[in-house]
mmCIF file of all heavy atoms in Angstrom:
data_model
loop_
_atom_site.group_PDB
_atom_site.id
_atom_site.type_symbol
_atom_site.label_atom_id
_atom_site.label_comp_id
_atom_site.label_asym_id
_atom_site.label_seq_id
_atom_site.Cartn_x
_atom_site.Cartn_y
_atom_site.Cartn_z
ATOM 1 N N MET A 163 0.855 -1.188 0.000
ATOM 2 C CA MET A 163 0.000 0.000 0.000
ATOM 3 C C MET A 163 0.889 1.236 0.000
ATOM 4 O O MET A 163 1.868 1.318 0.724
ATOM 5 C CB MET A 163 -0.904 0.007 1.235
ATOM 6 C CG MET A 163 -1.769 1.279 1.357
ATOM 7 S SD MET A 163 -2.800 1.294 2.826
ATOM 8 C CE MET A 163 -3.919 -0.014 2.401
ATOM 9 N N ALA A 164 0.523 2.188 -0.831
ATOM 10 C CA ALA A 164 1.320 3.412 -0.912
ATOM 11 C C ALA A 164 1.145 4.225 0.352
ATOM 12 O O ALA A 164 0.079 4.256 0.968
ATOM 13 C CB ALA A 164 0.888 4.236 -2.121
ATOM 14 N N ALA A 165 2.236 4.858 0.740
ATOM 15 C CA ALA A 165 2.174 5.689 1.944
ATOM 16 C C ALA A 165 1.276 6.889 1.720
ATOM 17 O O ALA A 165 1.211 7.455 0.626
ATOM 18 C CB ALA A 165 3.576 6.156 2.319
ATOM 19 N N ALA A 166 0.531 7.282 2.765
ATOM 20 C CA ALA A 166 -0.344 8.448 2.656
ATOM 21 C C ALA A 166 0.487 9.699 2.500
ATOM 22 O O ALA A 166 1.527 9.857 3.140
ATOM 23 C CB ALA A 166 -1.224 8.559 3.909
ATOM 24 N N SER A 167 0.031 10.577 1.647
ATOM 25 C CA SER A 167 0.759 11.826 1.442
ATOM 26 C C SER A 167 0.521 12.762 2.618
ATOM 27 O O SER A 167 -0.536 12.753 3.239
ATOM 28 C CB SER A 167 0.305 12.502 0.145
ATOM 29 O OG SER A 167 -1.075 12.810 0.213
ATOM 30 N N VAL A 168 1.537 13.521 2.944
ATOM 31 C CA VAL A 168 1.451 14.467 4.054
ATOM 32 C C VAL A 168 1.568 15.871 3.496
ATOM 33 O O VAL A 168 2.510 16.180 2.767
ATOM 34 C CB VAL A 168 2.574 14.211 5.084
ATOM 35 C CG1 VAL A 168 2.501 15.246 6.193
ATOM 36 C CG2 VAL A 168 2.451 12.808 5.648
ATOM 37 N N THR A 169 0.598 16.719 3.823
ATOM 38 C CA THR A 169 0.630 18.104 3.371
ATOM 39 C C THR A 169 1.430 18.935 4.355
ATOM 40 O O THR A 169 1.101 18.976 5.543
ATOM 41 C CB THR A 169 -0.799 18.679 3.264
ATOM 42 O OG1 THR A 169 -1.558 17.865 2.377
ATOM 43 C CG2 THR A 169 -0.757 20.116 2.758
ATOM 44 N N PRO A 170 2.499 19.558 3.916
ATOM 45 C CA PRO A 170 3.313 20.363 4.835
ATOM 46 C C PRO A 170 2.488 21.486 5.454
ATOM 47 O O PRO A 170 1.621 22.079 4.820
ATOM 48 C CB PRO A 170 4.428 20.910 3.940
ATOM 49 C CG PRO A 170 4.441 20.021 2.746
ATOM 50 C CD PRO A 170 3.031 19.566 2.547
ATOM 51 N N SER A 171 2.731 21.768 6.708
ATOM 52 C CA SER A 171 2.046 22.867 7.376
ATOM 53 C C SER A 171 2.429 24.191 6.733
ATOM 54 O O SER A 171 3.583 24.405 6.357
ATOM 55 C CB SER A 171 2.418 22.877 8.857
ATOM 56 O OG SER A 171 1.988 24.070 9.470
ATOM 57 N N ALA A 172 1.443 25.081 6.638
ATOM 58 C CA ALA A 172 1.699 26.394 6.051
ATOM 59 C C ALA A 172 2.661 27.204 6.915
ATOM 60 O O ALA A 172 3.257 28.175 6.448
ATOM 61 C CB ALA A 172 0.396 27.148 5.870
ATOM 62 N N THR A 173 2.807 26.812 8.163
ATOM 63 C CA THR A 173 3.687 27.553 9.061
ATOM 64 C C THR A 173 4.965 26.780 9.382
ATOM 65 O O THR A 173 5.668 27.110 10.337
ATOM 66 C CB THR A 173 2.951 27.877 10.382
ATOM 67 O OG1 THR A 173 2.532 26.646 10.987
ATOM 68 C CG2 THR A 173 1.743 28.747 10.145
ATOM 69 N N ALA A 174 5.276 25.770 8.571
ATOM 70 C CA ALA A 174 6.460 24.944 8.836
ATOM 71 C C ALA A 174 7.756 25.710 8.600
ATOM 72 O O ALA A 174 8.789 25.376 9.168
ATOM 73 C CB ALA A 174 6.426 23.685 7.974
ATOM 74 N N SER A 175 7.714 26.722 7.771
ATOM 75 C CA SER A 175 8.906 27.524 7.518
ATOM 76 C C SER A 175 8.738 28.900 8.143
ATOM 77 O O SER A 175 7.618 29.328 8.450
ATOM 78 C CB SER A 175 9.130 27.687 6.012
ATOM 79 O OG SER A 175 8.095 28.484 5.445
ATOM 80 N N ALA A 176 9.861 29.584 8.326
ATOM 81 C CA ALA A 176 9.804 30.931 8.890
ATOM 82 C C ALA A 176 8.992 31.862 7.999
ATOM 83 O O ALA A 176 8.212 32.687 8.485
ATOM 84 C CB ALA A 176 11.217 31.480 9.080
ATOM 85 N N GLN A 177 9.141 31.704 6.667
ATOM 86 C CA GLN A 177 8.396 32.567 5.755
ATOM 87 C C GLN A 177 6.906 32.272 5.840
ATOM 88 O O GLN A 177 6.072 33.185 5.847
ATOM 89 C CB GLN A 177 8.892 32.359 4.315
ATOM 90 C CG GLN A 177 8.169 33.253 3.308
ATOM 91 C CD GLN A 177 8.755 33.121 1.898
ATOM 92 O OE1 GLN A 177 9.823 32.563 1.726
ATOM 93 N NE2 GLN A 177 8.044 33.641 0.922
ATOM 94 N N GLY A 178 6.562 30.960 5.917
ATOM 95 C CA GLY A 178 5.158 30.593 6.030
ATOM 96 C C GLY A 178 4.550 31.103 7.320
ATOM 97 O O GLY A 178 3.403 31.580 7.351
ATOM 98 N N ALA A 179 5.310 30.999 8.420
ATOM 99 C CA ALA A 179 4.818 31.493 9.704
ATOM 100 C C ALA A 179 4.617 32.998 9.671
ATOM 101 O O ALA A 179 3.642 33.522 10.201
ATOM 102 C CB ALA A 179 5.800 31.110 10.812
ATOM 103 N N ARG A 180 5.563 33.701 8.985
ATOM 104 C CA ARG A 180 5.429 35.156 8.871
ATOM 105 C C ARG A 180 4.181 35.524 8.087
ATOM 106 O O ARG A 180 3.404 36.402 8.472
ATOM 107 C CB ARG A 180 6.661 35.739 8.185
ATOM 108 C CG ARG A 180 6.626 37.262 8.027
ATOM 109 C CD ARG A 180 7.585 37.721 6.946
ATOM 110 N NE ARG A 180 7.195 37.186 5.638
ATOM 111 C CZ ARG A 180 7.956 37.285 4.538
ATOM 112 N NH1 ARG A 180 9.154 37.846 4.620
ATOM 113 N NH2 ARG A 180 7.525 36.799 3.394
ATOM 114 N N ASP A 181 3.958 34.840 6.969
ATOM 115 C CA ASP A 181 2.795 35.134 6.138
ATOM 116 C C ASP A 181 1.490 34.866 6.885
ATOM 117 O O ASP A 181 0.515 35.622 6.770
ATOM 118 C CB ASP A 181 2.845 34.305 4.856
ATOM 119 C CG ASP A 181 3.998 34.712 3.933
ATOM 120 O OD1 ASP A 181 4.539 35.827 4.136
ATOM 121 O OD2 ASP A 181 4.359 33.921 3.048
ATOM 122 N N HIS A 182 1.482 33.768 7.658
ATOM 123 C CA HIS A 182 0.289 33.446 8.439
ATOM 124 C C HIS A 182 0.026 34.526 9.485
ATOM 125 O O HIS A 182 -1.111 34.962 9.678
ATOM 126 C CB HIS A 182 0.469 32.090 9.124
ATOM 127 C CG HIS A 182 -0.646 31.740 10.061
ATOM 128 N ND1 HIS A 182 -1.883 31.313 9.624
ATOM 129 C CD2 HIS A 182 -0.718 31.772 11.427
ATOM 130 C CE1 HIS A 182 -2.661 31.086 10.662
ATOM 131 N NE2 HIS A 182 -1.983 31.357 11.769
ATOM 132 N N ALA A 183 1.099 34.956 10.168
ATOM 133 C CA ALA A 183 0.948 35.977 11.201
ATOM 134 C C ALA A 183 0.455 37.287 10.606
ATOM 135 O O ALA A 183 -0.439 37.941 11.162
ATOM 136 C CB ALA A 183 2.266 36.178 11.934
ATOM 137 N N ARG A 184 1.018 37.658 9.456
ATOM 138 C CA ARG A 184 0.616 38.929 8.847
ATOM 139 C C ARG A 184 -0.815 38.886 8.330
ATOM 140 O O ARG A 184 -1.480 39.923 8.231
ATOM 141 C CB ARG A 184 1.588 39.279 7.717
ATOM 142 C CG ARG A 184 2.951 39.720 8.237
ATOM 143 C CD ARG A 184 3.890 40.111 7.117
ATOM 144 N NE ARG A 184 5.150 40.640 7.639
ATOM 145 C CZ ARG A 184 6.181 41.011 6.877
ATOM 146 N NH1 ARG A 184 6.098 40.895 5.551
ATOM 147 N NH2 ARG A 184 7.272 41.495 7.435
ATOM 148 N N ALA A 185 -1.300 37.694 8.022
ATOM 149 C CA ALA A 185 -2.673 37.566 7.545
ATOM 150 C C ALA A 185 -3.683 37.892 8.642
ATOM 151 O O ALA A 185 -4.848 38.172 8.355
ATOM 152 C CB ALA A 185 -2.911 36.158 7.017
ATOM 153 N N GLN A 186 -3.213 37.844 9.899
ATOM 154 C CA GLN A 186 -4.106 38.157 11.016
ATOM 155 C C GLN A 186 -4.216 39.656 11.262
ATOM 156 O O GLN A 186 -5.032 40.091 12.074
ATOM 157 C CB GLN A 186 -3.595 37.483 12.299
ATOM 158 C CG GLN A 186 -3.209 36.021 12.158
ATOM 159 C CD GLN A 186 -4.291 35.178 11.541
ATOM 160 O OE1 GLN A 186 -5.430 35.220 11.982
ATOM 161 N NE2 GLN A 186 -3.935 34.410 10.528
ATOM 162 N N ASP A 187 -3.388 40.450 10.576
ATOM 163 C CA ASP A 187 -3.384 41.888 10.811
ATOM 164 C C ASP A 187 -4.762 42.474 10.537
ATOM 165 O O ASP A 187 -5.369 42.217 9.503
ATOM 166 C CB ASP A 187 -2.346 42.562 9.903
ATOM 167 C CG ASP A 187 -2.215 44.044 10.194
ATOM 168 O OD1 ASP A 187 -2.238 44.413 11.375
ATOM 169 O OD2 ASP A 187 -2.082 44.824 9.232
ATOM 170 N N GLY A 188 -5.255 43.258 11.472
ATOM 171 C CA GLY A 188 -6.550 43.898 11.305
ATOM 172 C C GLY A 188 -7.707 43.085 11.837
ATOM 173 O O GLY A 188 -8.836 43.580 11.896
ATOM 174 N N THR A 189 -7.463 41.830 12.213
ATOM 175 C CA THR A 189 -8.530 41.011 12.775
ATOM 176 C C THR A 189 -8.577 41.204 14.285
ATOM 177 O O THR A 189 -7.647 41.713 14.889
ATOM 178 C CB THR A 189 -8.315 39.520 12.457
ATOM 179 O OG1 THR A 189 -7.125 39.059 13.099
ATOM 180 C CG2 THR A 189 -8.195 39.304 10.956
ATOM 181 N N THR A 190 -9.677 40.798 14.895
ATOM 182 C CA THR A 190 -9.827 40.912 16.342
ATOM 183 C C THR A 190 -9.876 39.533 16.965
ATOM 184 O O THR A 190 -10.122 38.538 16.295
ATOM 185 C CB THR A 190 -11.117 41.677 16.694
ATOM 186 O OG1 THR A 190 -12.243 40.980 16.143
ATOM 187 C CG2 THR A 190 -11.074 43.091 16.143
ATOM 188 N N SER A 191 -9.615 39.474 18.264
ATOM 189 C CA SER A 191 -9.607 38.223 18.995
ATOM 190 C C SER A 191 -10.399 38.381 20.274
ATOM 191 O O SER A 191 -10.414 39.455 20.883
ATOM 192 C CB SER A 191 -8.168 37.804 19.333
ATOM 193 O OG SER A 191 -8.155 36.750 20.266
ATOM 194 N N ASP A 192 -11.100 37.324 20.680
ATOM 195 C CA ASP A 192 -11.856 37.358 21.921
ATOM 196 C C ASP A 192 -10.976 37.138 23.141
ATOM 197 O O ASP A 192 -11.450 37.197 24.267
ATOM 198 C CB ASP A 192 -12.951 36.278 21.901
ATOM 199 C CG ASP A 192 -14.045 36.596 20.881
ATOM 200 O OD1 ASP A 192 -14.210 37.781 20.548
ATOM 201 O OD2 ASP A 192 -14.722 35.657 20.436
ATOM 202 N N THR A 193 -9.698 36.859 22.929
ATOM 203 C CA THR A 193 -8.816 36.538 24.045
ATOM 204 C C THR A 193 -7.630 37.494 24.148
ATOM 205 O O THR A 193 -6.703 37.231 24.889
ATOM 206 C CB THR A 193 -8.295 35.097 23.910
ATOM 207 O OG1 THR A 193 -7.592 34.969 22.669
ATOM 208 C CG2 THR A 193 -9.435 34.095 23.944
ATOM 209 N N MET A 194 -7.664 38.610 23.426
ATOM 210 C CA MET A 194 -6.584 39.582 23.488
ATOM 211 C C MET A 194 -7.167 40.979 23.653
ATOM 212 O O MET A 194 -8.304 41.242 23.240
ATOM 213 C CB MET A 194 -5.732 39.524 22.210
ATOM 214 C CG MET A 194 -4.961 38.238 22.028
ATOM 215 S SD MET A 194 -3.952 38.255 20.526
ATOM 216 C CE MET A 194 -2.785 39.579 20.906
ATOM 217 N N PRO A 195 -6.416 41.900 24.267
ATOM 218 C CA PRO A 195 -6.898 43.280 24.385
ATOM 219 C C PRO A 195 -7.134 43.894 23.002
ATOM 220 O O PRO A 195 -6.458 43.563 22.031
ATOM 221 C CB PRO A 195 -5.752 43.990 25.125
ATOM 222 C CG PRO A 195 -4.993 42.901 25.805
ATOM 223 C CD PRO A 195 -5.109 41.699 24.927
ATOM 224 N N VAL A 196 -8.126 44.772 22.952
ATOM 225 C CA VAL A 196 -8.377 45.536 21.733
ATOM 226 C C VAL A 196 -7.384 46.687 21.697
ATOM 227 O O VAL A 196 -7.285 47.463 22.650
ATOM 228 C CB VAL A 196 -9.826 46.055 21.718
ATOM 229 C CG1 VAL A 196 -10.034 47.022 20.562
ATOM 230 C CG2 VAL A 196 -10.807 44.893 21.638
ATOM 231 N N VAL A 197 -6.636 46.800 20.601
ATOM 232 C CA VAL A 197 -5.618 47.844 20.463
ATOM 233 C C VAL A 197 -5.838 48.571 19.142
ATOM 234 O O VAL A 197 -5.862 47.945 18.088
ATOM 235 C CB VAL A 197 -4.193 47.238 20.509
ATOM 236 C CG1 VAL A 197 -3.147 48.317 20.354
ATOM 237 C CG2 VAL A 197 -3.970 46.470 21.813
ATOM 238 N N PRO A 198 -6.002 49.903 19.152
ATOM 239 C CA PRO A 198 -6.104 50.755 20.342
ATOM 240 C C PRO A 198 -7.446 50.570 21.041
ATOM 241 O O PRO A 198 -8.441 50.188 20.410
ATOM 242 C CB PRO A 198 -5.960 52.170 19.788
ATOM 243 C CG PRO A 198 -6.508 52.069 18.395
ATOM 244 C CD PRO A 198 -6.116 50.701 17.906
ATOM 245 N N ALA A 199 -7.491 50.867 22.317
ATOM 246 C CA ALA A 199 -8.706 50.650 23.103
ATOM 247 C C ALA A 199 -9.881 51.456 22.572
ATOM 248 O O ALA A 199 -11.034 51.035 22.688
ATOM 249 C CB ALA A 199 -8.442 51.005 24.569
ATOM 250 N N ARG A 200 -9.608 52.615 21.950
ATOM 251 C CA ARG A 200 -10.701 53.460 21.469
ATOM 252 C C ARG A 200 -11.519 52.794 20.366
ATOM 253 O O ARG A 200 -12.619 53.255 20.031
ATOM 254 C CB ARG A 200 -10.165 54.800 20.979
ATOM 255 C CG ARG A 200 -9.263 54.716 19.763
ATOM 256 C CD ARG A 200 -8.873 56.104 19.247
ATOM 257 N NE ARG A 200 -7.975 56.036 18.111
ATOM 258 C CZ ARG A 200 -6.663 55.971 18.184
ATOM 259 N NH1 ARG A 200 -6.076 55.978 19.372
ATOM 260 N NH2 ARG A 200 -5.916 55.905 17.093
ATOM 261 N N SER A 201 -10.996 51.695 19.797
ATOM 262 C CA SER A 201 -11.743 51.005 18.753
ATOM 263 C C SER A 201 -12.773 50.026 19.325
ATOM 264 O O SER A 201 -13.502 49.378 18.576
ATOM 265 C CB SER A 201 -10.787 50.256 17.818
ATOM 266 O OG SER A 201 -10.026 49.284 18.513
ATOM 267 N N TRP A 202 -12.857 49.915 20.650
ATOM 268 C CA TRP A 202 -13.901 49.107 21.273
ATOM 269 C C TRP A 202 -15.265 49.631 20.811
ATOM 270 O O TRP A 202 -15.522 50.829 20.864
ATOM 271 C CB TRP A 202 -13.781 49.185 22.799
ATOM 272 C CG TRP A 202 -14.777 48.337 23.525
ATOM 273 C CD1 TRP A 202 -15.989 48.726 24.015
ATOM 274 C CD2 TRP A 202 -14.644 46.951 23.849
ATOM 275 N NE1 TRP A 202 -16.620 47.675 24.625
ATOM 276 C CE2 TRP A 202 -15.824 46.564 24.537
ATOM 277 C CE3 TRP A 202 -13.651 45.998 23.631
ATOM 278 C CZ2 TRP A 202 -16.033 45.273 25.011
ATOM 279 C CZ3 TRP A 202 -13.848 44.708 24.101
ATOM 280 C CH2 TRP A 202 -15.031 44.353 24.777
ATOM 281 N N PRO A 203 -16.158 48.757 20.342
ATOM 282 C CA PRO A 203 -17.371 49.237 19.676
ATOM 283 C C PRO A 203 -18.405 49.883 20.576
ATOM 284 O O PRO A 203 -19.221 50.682 20.109
ATOM 285 C CB PRO A 203 -17.942 47.955 19.033
ATOM 286 C CG PRO A 203 -17.387 46.835 19.864
ATOM 287 C CD PRO A 203 -16.026 47.288 20.288
ATOM 288 N N THR A 204 -18.416 49.574 21.875
ATOM 289 C CA THR A 204 -19.467 50.095 22.751
ATOM 290 C C THR A 204 -18.879 50.669 24.035
ATOM 291 O O THR A 204 -18.879 50.013 25.079
ATOM 292 C CB THR A 204 -20.477 48.978 23.100
ATOM 293 O OG1 THR A 204 -19.753 47.846 23.627
ATOM 294 C CG2 THR A 204 -21.263 48.560 21.878
#
Side-chain angles (χ1 to χ4, degrees):
M163 176 181 292
S167 61
V168 177
T169 303
S171 168
T173 59
S175 67
Q177 181 175 347
R180 181 200 63 189
D181 293 343
H182 174 76
R184 288 182 175 177
Q186 313 308 309
D187 185 40
T189 65
T190 59
S191 168
D192 291 336
T193 59
M194 294 181 64
V196 171
V197 180
R200 65 174 178 272
S201 60
W202 183 265
T204 53

